[in-house]
Amino acid sequence: MKKKAMASFLIGYTLLFTGSVYWHGQQFSQPIASDAGQLLPTAVKSIEQAEGEKQLQEMVRRANRTGDKLSIAGMQHSQGGHTYYPGGTIIDMKKYNKILQFDPKRQTITVQAGATWDDIQRRINPYGLSVKVMQSQNIFTIGGALSVNVHGRDIHYGSLIDTVESFRLLTAAGEIINVSREENKELFPLVIGGYGLFGIILDVTFSLAKDELYETHTRVIDYSQYSSYFQNAVNSSQVKMHLARISVAPDTFLREMYVTDWTNAKDEHKLTAYNQLKEDRIIAAPKLLLGLSRYSDWGKDKFWELQRTYMKKGNGKLETRNNVMRSETAFMEYESSSRTEVLQEYFVPVSEFADYIDDLRNVLENEKDFNLLNITVRYVGKDEQAVLSYAKVDMFALVLLINQGRSSKDMKQTEEVIRKMIDITLQHNGSYYLPYYSYPTKDQFDTAYPHSKEFFRMKRKYDPDERFMNFFYREYGQ
């Protein structure tokens, strides 16, 4: 590793990644807002904390009088300016986080939009219950999770929309309405996966699942075997959760994979012996090698070896459903003054996987400056409930972690590669996820989301003054 690169690594290694960020730049007269991607620092009018239902309602009504634009923010891990807008007001929902009602017998819970998955898990875990669908981290707010319609590791549920019974929405007119599959049902598939463009989600009622004890099974396979392995060994067995990673290390680039399946444990009665919720830890070796992989091919090879070895050592490990969902991510914390880490996520039909990977490899092997750190693979069953649905058929979801610079030149270089990858994804009848930076073209967006025109038409129907605004809407909807 070159001295300058090593010095940059050591500086970055000593700083903790702060995640979602608001700050006030002293050289500006207005607050400057950014998100986890840190690529769109933007001057906004104000940042308002959500305190109560009446206060939020008055905030919307006041904006209607003054003409202010409103954006809604949680943890701000959507990375394309989805939670703020130039000159607008950010409504920070994180303190609006009460658990309003929990019914263990009916297996339902109602929470305010600022509550996190961690809040929910801590409440329901003592009752032997679990959430059905959530991100692979538990730090996110429920309102944010609904707004991007997340998916998770459980292969038997589709997207988050499957688990939502109802929610209350504060509309652009300042009215509070109930929304479900029966009541104001037109809004149900628009608000879920609607990126905060239809109003403020106040609270949500979810259905829950029973917590279970799982046994872990990990194996290494060739990428060409993955589709058949999944269809034969996973989709038709007692596998409850599934996760895979494909190598980005030069020695095995986009060829070797490890797959992890969680099956029901034989000793299910031992659930209570394992159901203490695990806490996130910073694990020194993975954190160090991930750091090295940011700066060298050698680091990428060593980090892949560590991942593969570490996961295989977990074979036979017993873990509850709630804890499988609480993946350890502290080792991924990262901060740099000149670089950032962004996500992309591509969905490709199960039957297309091997051919898709071949085409993806052909592109990326020629992009020597494109710093790809990780690809995680999950399964998402066909789910077209949301208007902006990303799973038109049964899909594999590939989550890409990319290290890139923040300069205009760096962003342009990343944009060019990402557009090539999206073209390949679309050629294989796939789609891509919308919570990330707006590198895709408008034509790519329209192809991946054929109902987008209907979505934006309904946005203007329910919010004719475009009171709720963000960069995503400005880029693709106006």
Side-chain angles (χ1 to χ4, degrees):
M1 185 186 295
K2 294 180 180 180
K3 290 182 179 179
K4 185 179 290 185
M6 176 61 86
S8 298
F9 161 69
L10 291 173
I11 292 170
Y13 184 74
T14 60
L15 298 173
L16 288 180
F17 176 69
T18 56
S20 55
V21 180
Y22 297 140
W23 77 91
H24 191 285
Q26 294 180 357
Q27 69 272 38
F28 298 97
S29 59
Q30 292 178 296
I32 306 299
S34 188
D35 52 31
Q38 304 176 64
L39 294 176
L40 278 173
T42 299
V44 298
K45 180 178 180 179
S46 64
I47 301 167
E48 305 289 341
Q49 298 289 329
E51 298 173 357
E53 186 177 300
K54 299 287 187 185
Q55 173 239 11
L56 288 170
Q57 198 168 24
E58 175 53 32
M59 201 179 298
V60 174
R61 289 172 175 170
R62 184 175 66 243
N64 283 330
R65 295 192 296 269
T66 61
D68 288 345
K69 302 300 184 183
L70 301 174
S71 301
I72 309 158
M75 293 299 181
Q76 289 194 288
H77 277 257
S78 293
Q79 298 180 347
H82 299 73
T83 58
Y84 52 100
Y85 189 74
T89 295
I90 297 175
I91 303 174
D92 183 349
M93 299 294 291
K94 290 193 289 293
K95 293 183 179 178
Y96 194 75
N97 59 3
K98 294 179 181 177
I99 294 177
L100 301 177
Q101 187 174 11
F102 172 44
D103 189 334
K105 291 183 178 179
R106 286 191 60 240
Q107 297 185 17
T108 61
I109 192 167
T110 304
V111 300
Q112 291 180 330
T116 65
W117 293 116
D118 183 54
D119 295 331
I120 292 178
Q121 284 187 313
R122 291 184 186 281
R123 181 63 183 273
I124 67 178
N125 187 66
Y127 294 85
L129 294 174
S130 170
V131 297
K132 292 179 176 178
V133 175
M134 60 177 270
Q135 297 100 315
S136 57
Q137 298 179 30
N138 58 17
I139 64 171
F140 301 109
T141 63
I142 303 308
L146 254 71
S147 294
V148 303
N149 191 25
V150 301
H151 58 91
R153 296 182 178 184
D154 190 314
I155 66 172
H156 301 286
Y157 297 104
S159 310
L160 184 60
I161 193 171
D162 284 342
T163 75
V164 178
E165 292 195 354
S166 64
F167 57 89
R168 289 194 311 145
L169 183 73
L170 174 54
T171 70
E175 300 175 349
I176 296 175
I177 61 174
N178 295 313
V179 181
S180 69
R181 291 177 177 82
E182 292 80 34
E183 193 174 4
N184 294 304
K185 61 183 181 181
E186 189 175 57
L187 278 165
F188 191 81
L190 291 165
V191 177
I192 301 178
Y195 296 89
L197 293 173
F198 289 84
I200 303 173
I201 298 170
L202 295 176
D203 46 63
V204 187
T205 299
F206 291 102
S207 61
L208 302 170
K210 289 184 177 180
D211 197 15
E212 297 175 317
L213 187 63
Y214 296 151
E215 186 173 316
T216 309
H217 307 273
T218 297
R219 68 181 68 186
V220 176
I221 63 172
D222 186 83
Y223 79 101
S224 62
Q225 303 171 330
Y226 183 53
S227 290
S228 58
Y229 168 81
F230 184 86
Q231 291 170 323
N232 297 326
V234 178
N235 212 22
S236 60
S237 71
Q238 296 303 308
V239 173
K240 305 302 291 286
M241 291 194 182
H242 174 79
L243 181 73
R245 286 193 173 91
I246 186 166
S247 171
V248 298
D251 288 350
T252 52
F253 187 68
L254 297 188
R255 295 187 184 279
E256 191 172 77
M257 301 182 68
Y258 71 78
V259 296
T260 301
D261 302 318
W262 287 271
T263 62
N264 281 116
K266 297 176 182 178
D267 298 326
E268 179 65 27
H269 63 280
K270 294 183 179 179
L271 174 68
T272 54
Y274 290 88
N275 73 343
Q276 182 176 346
L277 293 176
K278 66 182 181 183
E279 304 297 337
D280 204 3
R281 303 167 294 158
I282 297 178
I283 305 173
K287 185 172 179 65
L288 176 63
L289 287 176
L290 176 59
L292 290 171
S293 76
R294 293 181 173 110
Y295 296 96
S296 72
D297 287 346
W298 177 87
K300 285 182 170 61
D301 284 326
K302 292 302 179 183
F303 185 53
W304 176 249
E305 289 177 20
L306 176 69
Q307 289 184 78
R308 189 180 56 188
T309 302
Y310 177 80
M311 293 303 296
K312 287 177 69 176
K313 281 185 176 179
N315 275 329
K317 178 183 177 182
L318 297 181
E319 198 167 17
T320 66
R321 176 188 178 90
N322 276 324
N323 278 327
V324 170
M325 290 181 166
R326 295 171 73 86
S327 59
E328 292 180 336
T329 55
F331 72 92
M332 297 176 65
E333 293 169 345
Y334 173 71
E335 182 61 49
S336 167
S337 60
S338 61
R339 302 187 68 80
T340 187
E341 289 181 352
V342 300
L343 294 171
Q344 286 283 296
E345 184 166 353
Y346 305 135
F347 303 90
V348 63
V350 170
S351 60
E352 297 271 351
F353 182 80
D355 290 341
Y356 172 70
I357 293 297
D358 286 337
D359 288 344
L360 200 62
R361 189 188 312 108
N362 288 337
V363 168
L364 293 179
E365 282 183 335
N366 295 317
E367 300 292 345
K368 301 302 182 183
D369 294 328
F370 187 70
N371 196 4
L372 180 59
L373 300 180
N374 185 70
I375 301 179
T376 299
V377 185
R378 293 195 287 262
Y379 169 79
V380 185
K382 177 181 178 180
D383 193 338
E384 295 186 285
Q385 292 183 70
V387 175
L388 292 184
S389 172
Y390 43 76
K392 296 179 281 290
V393 296
D394 293 347
M395 299 274 204
F396 287 134
L398 290 86
V399 185
L400 286 69
L401 179 65
I402 302 158
N403 183 282
Q404 70 160 84
R406 299 187 201 174
S407 71
S408 298
K409 179 182 177 182
D410 291 327
M411 292 170 67
K412 183 65 176 175
Q413 289 175 340
T414 302
E415 176 184 84
E416 290 173 356
V417 179
I418 283 176
R419 288 180 175 182
K420 290 177 185 178
M421 291 194 293
I422 290 177
D423 279 341
I424 290 170
T425 304
L426 296 175
Q427 289 166 16
H428 286 272
N429 302 310
S431 60
Y432 67 93
Y433 205 17
L434 297 174
Y436 305 123
Y437 192 78
S438 56
Y439 286 128
T441 67
K442 182 68 162 59
D443 286 343
Q444 287 175 328
F445 171 75
D446 290 339
T447 302
Y449 290 90
H451 300 299
S452 59
K453 288 183 173 60
E454 174 194 355
F455 175 85
F456 291 126
R457 181 179 63 82
M458 299 304 287
K459 153 69 176 173
R460 288 182 280 273
K461 171 186 172 181
Y462 284 101
D463 185 8
D465 295 324
E466 297 179 326
R467 185 66 50 228
F468 292 98
M469 290 290 292
N470 57 28
F471 277 97
F472 167 69
Y473 180 68
R474 188 178 77 172
E475 184 72 23
Y476 299 106
Q478 285 190 312

